[in-house]
Each structure stands twice: as structure tokens, then as C-alpha cells.
Amino acid sequence: MAQKREMNTSNEEAEQKLPRLNAGNQLFQDLDADNVSATEIESLCMRCHENGMTKLLLTRIPHFKSIIVMAFECPHCGFKNSEVQSGEAIQEKGHRYEVRCTTKADLNRQIVRNSSASVSFPEFEFTAPPATNSLLTTAEGLVTRFIEDLSLDQPQRKEAAPAVYQAIETLLDRLRGVLELPEDEEPGKAVTLVVDDPSGNSYVENLCTPHADPKMKISHYTRTKQQMIDLGMMSEGDGAEQAAEAEAATAPARTNAQKEMEAAEKVERAVRDAAENNEILMFPANCSSCNAPCDTRMQMVDIPHFQQVIIMSTTCDQCGYKSNEVKCGGAISTKGRRITLTLEDKDDLSRDILKSETSSFCVPEVDLDMFAGTMGGKFTTIEGLLRQAHDELDRRAPFFAGDSATAEKRDRFLRFLARLDAAANGDVLPLTLVLDDPMAHSYVQNIYAPDPDPNMVTEDYERSFEQNEELGLNDISVD
């Protein structure tokens, strides 16, 4: 049996580097009207300058986001104030949604617009900057709000600035035309809606879930310096100071880079030593769901007829959240790889499968199509992969639960989940699993190894320019 060995870090250092909550406490509680737990803080009243009471409630709204509700009341002068702030963590990259609206159905798309998101219509050269608060609405609701805001001071503009008045009237006519899109697609009647959120916390409904929406394009990008300043991730002087320091002292920068490389090599050696001794490395972390303290376990595994991979697993004892992630090593493959497996009986569901974070997979018989990056890297069985896809879609797919979901959408989605669950149980056979990885870091167990598997076809293909661009390979210089 594998032994557990903690990383070479003392508990005191770990506590200093990784601030953790007390066991049993969750930072953001699920929204529950019968169990409201607010924190009370004595604070200064800005009207009478006596001490009042501020109540803080950190909660999660299902299928929306984590929020901080604040309410202040002064018993001396009776002053009251309340506000809501976003408690959502800033995502690793910014998100950009580009939707081609051609019919009235597209105007009914639900949209979560975070306060940091801008909305634009490229055809009109119109861009609405980030708002002061977040909003849950529809595409039609956004357009209606823009029309109302732009129309407010038109009578005064007509007298004071006729040219500006006429330009805004032209824009208003175009926006009103968006609300008059036809029921069915007609040539020349379409508009593009772009929601760009540097924080990555805005969402646009996919009308074709669980399939890809042909009218919507989602892209992820690295934030610019100005966007990081606007989000409060850095101050305005940070960039200039960093540039001056880098220019004045390149040697210390090289020293820091060398130290980072040495630290990475030290971790890699620790992982390899643990793998040779059949040990599991364990280090402290915080749960990504409830932020309670938990432990992450890591071990290097040698997959026969494939390569070595690092498996990381996290289990939270407080909320029950479980996750595992796989990191593949080795050189970047010159070609992508597509693996097609035909599952003929229930035993095929027990095959091991490694799905890297760059891999997409689909099961046409149950209309399952998961994009690259979905669910991260996983090392499990085919049954486990299908069940994880079922759980992720059931728990995290927005706009399919609550009062905002229509009965038709909810029933269609529930039927899809039922088919997916039946496939995981082996009740839908035969099945076809297609695993497409442009990095060729994914693997499906060959139960006939070293002989070829008659039910599995492996194809190597040349990556497209777009795939290389998305993977960042076009910018690599080997000179």
C-alpha cells in the first residue's frame, strides 16, 4: 500500500503561506431562507457619528454567483443603508462572448452581466462600458435598458447640441430595430452582441445545451495591464515600477528566475522520489467550493504503453467536494491525436482513460459533446468520465433550474441527463467515444495490448493554425 509523506514544509510555514479558515466554517453559505447566518460588526454611522451595527451575509445564489450582502442601521439617528457586492473570485482569464442574433429567440437568451463587463454592438459602433452593479437579464432586457438610458436627456440635447442629438437618435433607431428581429431568420436582419468581461464572471445562455451553439463564440484571453488595474489586481504604478526594476537590475531578475527553476526542479525530484518509493505527497490547501481547509494528494503514475503523469486529488471533509486533476509531462507532440473507441459491452466501461485538459470528447449516441478544457484533466474509467460529466452538467449548468427556466428547456435537459446516466450504467450499447487531443496527451486503455485493439482506432493529424494559436504554439521561438 502506498504511504503518505508530507512535503518538506513545516506546519508553521504552511499556515503563513496558505491562510486557512477554521475547520467547519464555510466562507459563502448556500442561500437558505430558513437558516440565515449573518455576521454583525459595530461600525461608525456617517450621519450622526455614533456607533451603529453592520450585518454581513456571505451567500451563494444557485446558478448565479457568490455575493456579499451588507446592511447598516444606526439606533441613534435611524439611518439605514444596504448594498450588494460581488464575492466571486476573479477567473484565471477574461471571457468574451460573441453572439449572432438573428431571431426573437436570440433576444430571449439569459445573460449574467458582471459589473466589470462591457457590452457592444460592432455593427453600430456602440459600446456600453462596465456598469456599477451586476445584472441578470436577457439580451432584449439589455437593449431595452440601453434605449432607456440614452433617451433620458434627449430633449435637452436637442436644444443644446443638435448634432449630438441627431447622432444618438440614429443609434436609438438601430437599437429599436434590434427589438424587431423576425421570428424566423431573414437575410440582412442580424446583429452581433458582444459581452466582454475581464473578470470572467459573466455568462450568456447557450440555447443548444448540451450541444455547441452555432451562433455563439466563446474565447478566453489574458488580461491587459489596464484591465488588471480596473479590477484592482494591481495599482497604476506597479507596471512602471516593475519595468524600471527589470531595466535597472536584470541580474536579480535572472537570479529570481533561476530560483524558480530550482524550486520547480526540487518539487519534481520530490514527486519522482515519492513515485519510486510508492509514496503519496500531501500538502495543505483550501477547498475551491467552500474554502474550508483540506489536503491535496499528489503522486506520479506510470501508465503502461503511454507515459508518466502526475495525479492530484482533493477531498473536502466539510462540504464533500471532490476533484482530481491530471498533469501530463513530456515534450509537445508534433501532431494531434484522435482516438475513437466502440463500446460493445459493459466491460468496456471499466477501461482506464486519461483525458488531458486540452482534450475534447463526445459520445454521439447520447448527444454529449464536451469542449477542450471542460472538466480539466481526468484519469478515471470511461464510466467514471461519463458520471463526472453528468454530475458537472447537473450541478453547474446555468439557466436550467429555478424560476427562469422554461418547462420545455428543463424537460429537454432532464431527458439528456437521463440518457447520459443510462449510458454510464451500460444500458445504451453500443456507444462510440471520440477523444480528440491536439497535444496527443490523452490515452484510452488497450485491453489487448501489446496487440492492436479491434474496437479502437487511433489517428494522428496535423494541427490547424487556430489550434496552434489557442495552445500558444505559434508564438514559440526555438532560435
Side-chain angles (χ1 to χ4, degrees), residues 216-278:
M216 182 165 64
K217 179 182 177 182
I218 305 175
S219 57
H220 308 279
Y221 61 89
T222 302
R223 283 180 283 267
T224 63
K225 174 190 171 184
Q226 186 59 47
Q227 288 173 332
M228 296 180 70
I229 293 174
D230 294 339
L231 292 174
M233 300 177 67
M234 62 183 295
S235 63
E236 294 188 9
D238 286 349
E241 293 175 1
Q242 291 172 0
E245 291 176 359
E247 185 177 355
T250 57
R254 288 196 297 270
T255 302
N256 292 336
Q258 184 177 1
K259 289 181 179 180
E260 291 180 359
M261 292 179 62
E262 292 175 353
E265 291 174 356
K266 183 177 179 182
V267 173
E268 185 176 356
R269 284 197 302 270
V271 174
R272 293 188 180 277
D273 292 342
E276 292 176 358
N277 298 324
N278 198 26

Short mmCIF file of all heavy atoms in Angstrom, two decimals, residues 216-278:
data_model
loop_
_atom_site.label_atom_id
_atom_site.label_comp_id
_atom_site.label_asym_id
_atom_site.label_seq_id
_atom_site.Cartn_x
_atom_site.Cartn_y
_atom_site.Cartn_z
N MET A 216 -22.95 31.23 -31.22
CA MET A 216 -22.18 31.83 -30.13
C MET A 216 -20.73 31.36 -30.17
O MET A 216 -20.45 30.17 -30.33
CB MET A 216 -22.81 31.50 -28.77
CG MET A 216 -22.08 32.14 -27.60
SD MET A 216 -23.03 32.12 -26.06
CE MET A 216 -23.15 30.35 -25.76
N LYS A 217 -19.83 32.30 -30.03
CA LYS A 217 -18.40 32.01 -29.97
C LYS A 217 -17.86 32.50 -28.63
O LYS A 217 -18.05 33.65 -28.26
CB LYS A 217 -17.67 32.71 -31.12
CG LYS A 217 -16.17 32.47 -31.13
CD LYS A 217 -15.50 33.23 -32.27
CE LYS A 217 -13.99 33.04 -32.24
NZ LYS A 217 -13.32 33.81 -33.32
N ILE A 218 -17.19 31.59 -27.92
CA ILE A 218 -16.63 31.92 -26.60
C ILE A 218 -15.11 31.88 -26.71
O ILE A 218 -14.54 30.90 -27.20
CB ILE A 218 -17.10 30.93 -25.53
CG1 ILE A 218 -18.63 30.86 -25.49
CG2 ILE A 218 -16.56 31.34 -24.16
CD1 ILE A 218 -19.16 29.80 -24.54
N SER A 219 -14.46 32.93 -26.26
CA SER A 219 -13.00 32.97 -26.27
C SER A 219 -12.48 33.42 -24.91
O SER A 219 -13.15 34.16 -24.18
CB SER A 219 -12.49 33.92 -27.38
OG SER A 219 -13.03 35.22 -27.21
N HIS A 220 -11.29 32.94 -24.57
CA HIS A 220 -10.63 33.30 -23.30
C HIS A 220 -9.34 34.04 -23.64
O HIS A 220 -8.64 33.67 -24.59
CB HIS A 220 -10.34 32.05 -22.48
CG HIS A 220 -11.53 31.16 -22.28
ND1 HIS A 220 -12.48 31.41 -21.32
CD2 HIS A 220 -11.95 30.05 -22.93
CE1 HIS A 220 -13.43 30.49 -21.38
NE2 HIS A 220 -13.11 29.64 -22.35
N TYR A 221 -9.04 35.06 -22.88
CA TYR A 221 -7.86 35.87 -23.20
C TYR A 221 -7.14 36.30 -21.92
O TYR A 221 -7.71 36.30 -20.82
CB TYR A 221 -8.27 37.10 -24.01
CG TYR A 221 -9.23 38.03 -23.29
CD1 TYR A 221 -8.77 39.05 -22.46
CD2 TYR A 221 -10.61 37.89 -23.43
CE1 TYR A 221 -9.65 39.89 -21.80
CE2 TYR A 221 -11.49 38.73 -22.79
CZ TYR A 221 -11.00 39.73 -21.97
OH TYR A 221 -11.87 40.56 -21.31
N THR A 222 -5.88 36.66 -22.09
CA THR A 222 -5.07 37.17 -20.98
C THR A 222 -5.36 38.65 -20.79
O THR A 222 -5.37 39.42 -21.76
CB THR A 222 -3.58 36.96 -21.26
OG1 THR A 222 -3.34 35.56 -21.47
CG2 THR A 222 -2.73 37.44 -20.09
N ARG A 223 -5.59 39.06 -19.59
CA ARG A 223 -5.94 40.45 -19.31
C ARG A 223 -4.78 41.40 -19.59
O ARG A 223 -3.61 41.06 -19.40
CB ARG A 223 -6.37 40.60 -17.84
CG ARG A 223 -7.75 40.10 -17.53
CD ARG A 223 -8.09 40.27 -16.07
NE ARG A 223 -7.43 39.25 -15.27
CZ ARG A 223 -7.97 38.09 -14.94
NH1 ARG A 223 -9.18 37.79 -15.35
NH2 ARG A 223 -7.31 37.21 -14.21
N THR A 224 -5.11 42.61 -20.03
CA THR A 224 -4.11 43.65 -20.22
C THR A 224 -3.78 44.31 -18.88
O THR A 224 -4.48 44.10 -17.88
CB THR A 224 -4.60 44.72 -21.21
OG1 THR A 224 -5.76 45.37 -20.64
CG2 THR A 224 -4.99 44.08 -22.54
N LYS A 225 -2.75 45.13 -18.89
CA LYS A 225 -2.36 45.83 -17.66
C LYS A 225 -3.49 46.74 -17.18
O LYS A 225 -3.80 46.79 -15.98
CB LYS A 225 -1.09 46.64 -17.91
CG LYS A 225 -0.70 47.52 -16.73
CD LYS A 225 0.42 48.47 -17.10
CE LYS A 225 0.64 49.49 -16.00
NZ LYS A 225 1.66 50.51 -16.37
N GLN A 226 -4.13 47.48 -18.11
CA GLN A 226 -5.21 48.39 -17.73
C GLN A 226 -6.39 47.63 -17.15
O GLN A 226 -7.02 48.09 -16.18
CB GLN A 226 -5.65 49.22 -18.93
CG GLN A 226 -6.67 50.29 -18.61
CD GLN A 226 -6.15 51.28 -17.59
OE1 GLN A 226 -5.03 51.77 -17.69
NE2 GLN A 226 -6.97 51.59 -16.57
N GLN A 227 -6.71 46.48 -17.71
CA GLN A 227 -7.81 45.68 -17.18
C GLN A 227 -7.49 45.18 -15.78
O GLN A 227 -8.37 45.15 -14.91
CB GLN A 227 -8.10 44.51 -18.12
CG GLN A 227 -8.77 44.91 -19.42
CD GLN A 227 -8.90 43.77 -20.39
OE1 GLN A 227 -8.09 42.84 -20.39
NE2 GLN A 227 -9.90 43.82 -21.26
N MET A 228 -6.26 44.80 -15.53
CA MET A 228 -5.87 44.36 -14.19
C MET A 228 -5.95 45.52 -13.20
O MET A 228 -6.33 45.33 -12.04
CB MET A 228 -4.46 43.77 -14.22
CG MET A 228 -4.34 42.50 -15.06
SD MET A 228 -2.68 41.82 -15.11
CE MET A 228 -2.52 41.22 -13.41
N ILE A 229 -5.61 46.73 -13.66
CA ILE A 229 -5.73 47.90 -12.79
C ILE A 229 -7.21 48.18 -12.47
O ILE A 229 -7.58 48.45 -11.32
CB ILE A 229 -5.08 49.13 -13.45
CG1 ILE A 229 -3.57 48.94 -13.55
CG2 ILE A 229 -5.41 50.41 -12.68
CD1 ILE A 229 -2.86 50.04 -14.31
N ASP A 230 -8.08 48.09 -13.49
CA ASP A 230 -9.50 48.34 -13.29
C ASP A 230 -10.13 47.32 -12.34
O ASP A 230 -11.05 47.65 -11.59
CB ASP A 230 -10.23 48.30 -14.63
CG ASP A 230 -9.81 49.43 -15.55
OD1 ASP A 230 -9.28 50.44 -15.03
OD2 ASP A 230 -9.99 49.29 -16.78
N LEU A 231 -9.63 46.09 -12.35
CA LEU A 231 -10.16 45.05 -11.47
C LEU A 231 -9.54 45.09 -10.08
O LEU A 231 -9.94 44.32 -9.20
CB LEU A 231 -9.92 43.67 -12.08
CG LEU A 231 -10.70 43.34 -13.36
CD1 LEU A 231 -10.24 42.00 -13.93
CD2 LEU A 231 -12.20 43.31 -13.08
N GLY A 232 -8.59 45.99 -9.86
CA GLY A 232 -7.94 46.09 -8.56
C GLY A 232 -6.89 45.03 -8.31
O GLY A 232 -6.48 44.82 -7.16
N MET A 233 -6.43 44.37 -9.37
CA MET A 233 -5.41 43.33 -9.21
C MET A 233 -4.01 43.92 -9.13
O MET A 233 -3.07 43.24 -8.71
CB MET A 233 -5.49 42.35 -10.38
CG MET A 233 -6.84 41.66 -10.51
SD MET A 233 -6.95 40.59 -11.94
CE MET A 233 -5.77 39.30 -11.49
N MET A 234 -3.85 45.16 -9.55
CA MET A 234 -2.57 45.85 -9.43
C MET A 234 -2.83 47.34 -9.44
O MET A 234 -3.89 47.80 -9.88
CB MET A 234 -1.62 45.45 -10.58
CG MET A 234 -2.12 45.81 -11.97
SD MET A 234 -1.02 45.26 -13.29
CE MET A 234 0.43 46.24 -12.95
N SER A 235 -1.90 48.12 -8.92
CA SER A 235 -2.04 49.57 -8.90
C SER A 235 -1.44 50.17 -10.15
O SER A 235 -0.71 49.50 -10.89
CB SER A 235 -1.37 50.16 -7.65
OG SER A 235 0.02 49.90 -7.67
N GLU A 236 -1.73 51.45 -10.40
CA GLU A 236 -1.27 52.08 -11.62
C GLU A 236 0.24 52.18 -11.67
O GLU A 236 0.84 52.17 -12.74
CB GLU A 236 -1.89 53.47 -11.76
CG GLU A 236 -3.40 53.43 -11.94
CD GLU A 236 -3.95 54.79 -12.25
OE1 GLU A 236 -3.14 55.72 -12.49
OE2 GLU A 236 -5.18 54.94 -12.28
N GLY A 237 0.89 52.29 -10.52
CA GLY A 237 2.35 52.42 -10.52
C GLY A 237 3.10 51.12 -10.58
O GLY A 237 4.32 51.11 -10.76
N ASP A 238 2.36 50.01 -10.43
CA ASP A 238 3.06 48.72 -10.39
C ASP A 238 3.79 48.43 -11.69
O ASP A 238 4.93 47.99 -11.69
CB ASP A 238 2.07 47.59 -10.10
CG ASP A 238 1.63 47.59 -8.65
OD1 ASP A 238 2.26 48.32 -7.86
OD2 ASP A 238 0.66 46.87 -8.31
N GLY A 239 3.14 48.68 -12.81
CA GLY A 239 3.75 48.34 -14.09
C GLY A 239 5.02 49.14 -14.33
O GLY A 239 6.04 48.60 -14.77
N ALA A 240 4.98 50.48 -14.04
CA ALA A 240 6.16 51.31 -14.24
C ALA A 240 7.29 50.90 -13.31
O ALA A 240 8.45 50.86 -13.70
CB ALA A 240 5.79 52.79 -14.02
N GLU A 241 6.93 50.61 -12.04
CA GLU A 241 7.96 50.20 -11.09
C GLU A 241 8.60 48.88 -11.51
O GLU A 241 9.81 48.72 -11.44
CB GLU A 241 7.34 50.06 -9.70
CG GLU A 241 6.88 51.39 -9.11
CD GLU A 241 6.16 51.19 -7.79
OE1 GLU A 241 6.06 50.02 -7.35
OE2 GLU A 241 5.71 52.19 -7.21
N GLN A 242 7.77 47.94 -11.96
CA GLN A 242 8.32 46.65 -12.37
C GLN A 242 9.21 46.81 -13.59
O GLN A 242 10.27 46.19 -13.69
CB GLN A 242 7.18 45.68 -12.68
CG GLN A 242 6.40 45.26 -11.44
CD GLN A 242 5.17 44.45 -11.79
OE1 GLN A 242 4.89 44.21 -12.96
NE2 GLN A 242 4.44 44.05 -10.78
N ALA A 243 8.80 47.68 -14.55
CA ALA A 243 9.62 47.88 -15.74
C ALA A 243 10.96 48.52 -15.38
O ALA A 243 12.02 48.15 -15.90
CB ALA A 243 8.88 48.74 -16.75
N ALA A 244 10.91 49.53 -14.46
CA ALA A 244 12.15 50.19 -14.05
C ALA A 244 13.08 49.23 -13.33
O ALA A 244 14.29 49.23 -13.54
CB ALA A 244 11.83 51.39 -13.16
N GLU A 245 12.49 48.42 -12.45
CA GLU A 245 13.31 47.45 -11.73
C GLU A 245 13.94 46.44 -12.68
O GLU A 245 15.10 46.06 -12.54
CB GLU A 245 12.47 46.74 -10.67
CG GLU A 245 12.04 47.65 -9.53
CD GLU A 245 11.12 46.92 -8.57
OE1 GLU A 245 10.82 45.74 -8.83
OE2 GLU A 245 10.69 47.54 -7.57
N ALA A 246 13.13 45.99 -13.67
CA ALA A 246 13.66 45.00 -14.61
C ALA A 246 14.77 45.59 -15.46
O ALA A 246 15.76 44.92 -15.79
CB ALA A 246 12.54 44.49 -15.50
N GLU A 247 14.61 46.88 -15.84
CA GLU A 247 15.63 47.51 -16.68
C GLU A 247 16.89 47.83 -15.89
O GLU A 247 18.01 47.73 -16.41
CB GLU A 247 15.04 48.79 -17.29
CG GLU A 247 15.98 49.48 -18.28
CD GLU A 247 15.33 50.69 -18.91
OE1 GLU A 247 14.14 50.92 -18.65
OE2 GLU A 247 16.02 51.39 -19.66
N ALA A 248 16.73 48.24 -14.63
CA ALA A 248 17.89 48.63 -13.83
C ALA A 248 18.63 47.45 -13.24
O ALA A 248 19.81 47.56 -12.90
CB ALA A 248 17.44 49.57 -12.71
N ALA A 249 17.96 46.34 -13.08
CA ALA A 249 18.60 45.19 -12.41
C ALA A 249 18.18 43.91 -13.10
O ALA A 249 17.28 43.22 -12.64
CB ALA A 249 18.23 45.17 -10.93
N THR A 250 18.80 43.60 -14.23
CA THR A 250 18.48 42.35 -14.92
C THR A 250 19.09 41.15 -14.23
O THR A 250 18.56 40.05 -14.30
CB THR A 250 19.00 42.42 -16.37
OG1 THR A 250 20.40 42.68 -16.34
CG2 THR A 250 18.30 43.52 -17.15
N ALA A 251 20.20 41.38 -13.53
CA ALA A 251 20.85 40.25 -12.84
C ALA A 251 19.97 39.68 -11.74
O ALA A 251 19.78 38.47 -11.65
CB ALA A 251 22.20 40.70 -12.28
N PRO A 252 19.38 40.52 -10.84
CA PRO A 252 18.47 39.96 -9.84
C PRO A 252 17.28 39.25 -10.47
O PRO A 252 16.80 38.25 -9.95
CB PRO A 252 18.03 41.20 -9.04
CG PRO A 252 19.14 42.17 -9.22
CD PRO A 252 19.65 41.94 -10.60
N ALA A 253 16.81 39.75 -11.62
CA ALA A 253 15.68 39.08 -12.28
C ALA A 253 16.09 37.69 -12.72
O ALA A 253 15.33 36.73 -12.60
CB ALA A 253 15.21 39.90 -13.48
N ARG A 254 17.31 37.60 -13.28
CA ARG A 254 17.79 36.28 -13.68
C ARG A 254 17.95 35.38 -12.47
O ARG A 254 17.71 34.18 -12.53
CB ARG A 254 19.11 36.43 -14.43
CG ARG A 254 18.97 37.01 -15.82
CD ARG A 254 20.22 36.78 -16.63
NE ARG A 254 21.37 37.45 -16.04
CZ ARG A 254 21.74 38.68 -16.35
NH1 ARG A 254 21.06 39.37 -17.26
NH2 ARG A 254 22.79 39.23 -15.79
N THR A 255 18.37 36.00 -11.34
CA THR A 255 18.53 35.21 -10.12
C THR A 255 17.19 34.67 -9.65
O THR A 255 17.08 33.50 -9.26
CB THR A 255 19.16 36.07 -9.01
OG1 THR A 255 20.42 36.57 -9.48
CG2 THR A 255 19.37 35.25 -7.74
N ASN A 256 16.14 35.51 -9.71
CA ASN A 256 14.81 35.05 -9.30
C ASN A 256 14.31 33.94 -10.20
O ASN A 256 13.71 32.96 -9.75
CB ASN A 256 13.83 36.23 -9.32
CG ASN A 256 14.13 37.25 -8.23
OD1 ASN A 256 14.75 36.90 -7.22
ND2 ASN A 256 13.72 38.48 -8.43
N ALA A 257 14.53 34.10 -11.52
CA ALA A 257 14.11 33.05 -12.45
C ALA A 257 14.85 31.75 -12.17
O ALA A 257 14.27 30.67 -12.23
CB ALA A 257 14.36 33.51 -13.89
N GLN A 258 16.14 31.89 -11.84
CA GLN A 258 16.92 30.69 -11.53
C GLN A 258 16.40 30.03 -10.26
O GLN A 258 16.31 28.80 -10.17
CB GLN A 258 18.39 31.06 -11.38
CG GLN A 258 19.31 29.88 -11.15
CD GLN A 258 20.77 30.28 -11.08
OE1 GLN A 258 21.08 31.46 -11.17
NE2 GLN A 258 21.64 29.32 -10.91
N LYS A 259 16.02 30.84 -9.27
CA LYS A 259 15.47 30.28 -8.04
C LYS A 259 14.15 29.56 -8.30
O LYS A 259 13.89 28.50 -7.73
CB LYS A 259 15.27 31.40 -7.00
CG LYS A 259 16.56 31.95 -6.43
CD LYS A 259 16.27 33.03 -5.39
CE LYS A 259 17.56 33.57 -4.79
NZ LYS A 259 17.29 34.63 -3.77
N GLU A 260 13.31 30.14 -9.17
CA GLU A 260 12.05 29.49 -9.50
C GLU A 260 12.28 28.16 -10.20
O GLU A 260 11.60 27.17 -9.92
CB GLU A 260 11.21 30.41 -10.40
CG GLU A 260 10.69 31.66 -9.67
CD GLU A 260 9.87 32.54 -10.59
OE1 GLU A 260 9.73 32.17 -11.77
OE2 GLU A 260 9.39 33.59 -10.13
N MET A 261 13.28 28.13 -11.10
CA MET A 261 13.60 26.88 -11.78
C MET A 261 14.11 25.84 -10.80
O MET A 261 13.76 24.66 -10.85
CB MET A 261 14.63 27.13 -12.88
CG MET A 261 14.11 27.96 -14.04
SD MET A 261 15.37 28.25 -15.30
CE MET A 261 15.72 26.57 -15.81
N GLU A 262 14.96 26.29 -9.86
CA GLU A 262 15.48 25.36 -8.85
C GLU A 262 14.35 24.83 -7.97
O GLU A 262 14.33 23.65 -7.61
CB GLU A 262 16.54 26.07 -8.00
CG GLU A 262 17.82 26.40 -8.77
CD GLU A 262 18.79 27.19 -7.93
OE1 GLU A 262 18.40 27.61 -6.80
OE2 GLU A 262 19.92 27.42 -8.38
N ALA A 263 13.39 25.72 -7.61
CA ALA A 263 12.26 25.26 -6.79
C ALA A 263 11.41 24.26 -7.55
O ALA A 263 10.96 23.25 -6.99
CB ALA A 263 11.41 26.47 -6.36
N ALA A 264 11.18 24.53 -8.86
CA ALA A 264 10.39 23.59 -9.67
C ALA A 264 11.10 22.24 -9.78
O ALA A 264 10.46 21.19 -9.70
CB ALA A 264 10.13 24.18 -11.05
N GLU A 265 12.42 22.28 -9.97
CA GLU A 265 13.18 21.03 -10.05
C GLU A 265 13.14 20.28 -8.73
O GLU A 265 13.09 19.05 -8.71
CB GLU A 265 14.63 21.33 -10.45
CG GLU A 265 14.78 21.84 -11.89
CD GLU A 265 16.19 22.26 -12.20
OE1 GLU A 265 17.03 22.22 -11.26
OE2 GLU A 265 16.47 22.62 -13.36
N LYS A 266 13.14 21.02 -7.62
CA LYS A 266 13.09 20.38 -6.30
C LYS A 266 11.75 19.66 -6.11
O LYS A 266 11.71 18.52 -5.61
CB LYS A 266 13.26 21.44 -5.22
CG LYS A 266 13.30 20.88 -3.80
CD LYS A 266 13.55 21.98 -2.79
CE LYS A 266 13.57 21.42 -1.37
NZ LYS A 266 13.78 22.50 -0.37
N VAL A 267 10.65 20.31 -6.54
CA VAL A 267 9.34 19.68 -6.43
C VAL A 267 9.27 18.45 -7.33
O VAL A 267 8.75 17.39 -6.94
CB VAL A 267 8.23 20.69 -6.80
CG1 VAL A 267 6.88 19.99 -6.87
CG2 VAL A 267 8.18 21.82 -5.79
N GLU A 268 9.83 18.57 -8.53
CA GLU A 268 9.81 17.43 -9.46
C GLU A 268 10.60 16.26 -8.90
O GLU A 268 10.17 15.11 -9.02
CB GLU A 268 10.37 17.87 -10.81
CG GLU A 268 10.27 16.78 -11.87
CD GLU A 268 10.73 17.25 -13.23
OE1 GLU A 268 11.06 18.44 -13.36
OE2 GLU A 268 10.79 16.41 -14.16
N ARG A 269 11.75 16.56 -8.30
CA ARG A 269 12.54 15.48 -7.70
C ARG A 269 11.78 14.83 -6.56
O ARG A 269 11.81 13.60 -6.39
CB ARG A 269 13.89 16.03 -7.19
CG ARG A 269 14.90 16.31 -8.29
CD ARG A 269 16.29 16.44 -7.71
NE ARG A 269 16.35 17.51 -6.71
CZ ARG A 269 16.66 18.77 -6.99
NH1 ARG A 269 16.92 19.12 -8.24
NH2 ARG A 269 16.71 19.68 -6.04
N ALA A 270 11.09 15.65 -5.74
CA ALA A 270 10.31 15.09 -4.63
C ALA A 270 9.22 14.18 -5.13
O ALA A 270 8.96 13.11 -4.57
CB ALA A 270 9.72 16.22 -3.78
N VAL A 271 8.56 14.60 -6.25
CA VAL A 271 7.50 13.77 -6.82
C VAL A 271 8.06 12.47 -7.35
O VAL A 271 7.50 11.38 -7.15
CB VAL A 271 6.76 14.54 -7.93
CG1 VAL A 271 5.76 13.64 -8.64
CG2 VAL A 271 6.04 15.76 -7.34
N ARG A 272 9.21 12.54 -8.04
CA ARG A 272 9.80 11.33 -8.60
C ARG A 272 10.30 10.39 -7.51
O ARG A 272 10.13 9.17 -7.59
CB ARG A 272 10.94 11.70 -9.55
CG ARG A 272 10.47 12.41 -10.80
CD ARG A 272 11.60 12.59 -11.80
NE ARG A 272 11.15 13.28 -12.99
CZ ARG A 272 10.55 12.68 -14.00
NH1 ARG A 272 10.33 11.37 -13.97
NH2 ARG A 272 10.15 13.37 -15.06
N ASP A 273 10.90 10.96 -6.45
CA ASP A 273 11.36 10.12 -5.33
C ASP A 273 10.19 9.43 -4.66
O ASP A 273 10.26 8.25 -4.29
CB ASP A 273 12.12 10.98 -4.31
CG ASP A 273 13.44 11.49 -4.86
OD1 ASP A 273 13.92 10.92 -5.87
OD2 ASP A 273 13.99 12.46 -4.30
N ALA A 274 9.08 10.16 -4.50
CA ALA A 274 7.89 9.57 -3.88
C ALA A 274 7.33 8.46 -4.77
O ALA A 274 6.87 7.43 -4.28
CB ALA A 274 6.83 10.65 -3.64
N ALA A 275 7.38 8.68 -6.10
CA ALA A 275 6.88 7.65 -7.01
C ALA A 275 7.73 6.38 -6.94
O ALA A 275 7.21 5.26 -6.97
CB ALA A 275 6.85 8.19 -8.45
N GLU A 276 9.04 6.55 -6.84
CA GLU A 276 9.92 5.38 -6.75
C GLU A 276 9.67 4.59 -5.47
O GLU A 276 9.78 3.37 -5.45
CB GLU A 276 11.37 5.82 -6.83
CG GLU A 276 11.76 6.38 -8.20
CD GLU A 276 13.19 6.90 -8.21
OE1 GLU A 276 13.83 6.85 -7.13
OE2 GLU A 276 13.65 7.36 -9.27
N ASN A 277 9.33 5.30 -4.40
CA ASN A 277 9.08 4.65 -3.11
C ASN A 277 7.60 4.32 -2.90
O ASN A 277 7.21 3.92 -1.80
CB ASN A 277 9.57 5.53 -1.96
CG ASN A 277 11.06 5.79 -2.03
OD1 ASN A 277 11.83 4.91 -2.41
ND2 ASN A 277 11.47 7.01 -1.66
N ASN A 278 6.80 4.52 -3.95
CA ASN A 278 5.36 4.26 -3.88
C ASN A 278 4.70 5.06 -2.75
O ASN A 278 3.87 4.56 -2.00
CB ASN A 278 5.08 2.76 -3.69
CG ASN A 278 3.64 2.40 -4.04
OD1 ASN A 278 2.99 3.09 -4.83
ND2 ASN A 278 3.12 1.34 -3.44
#
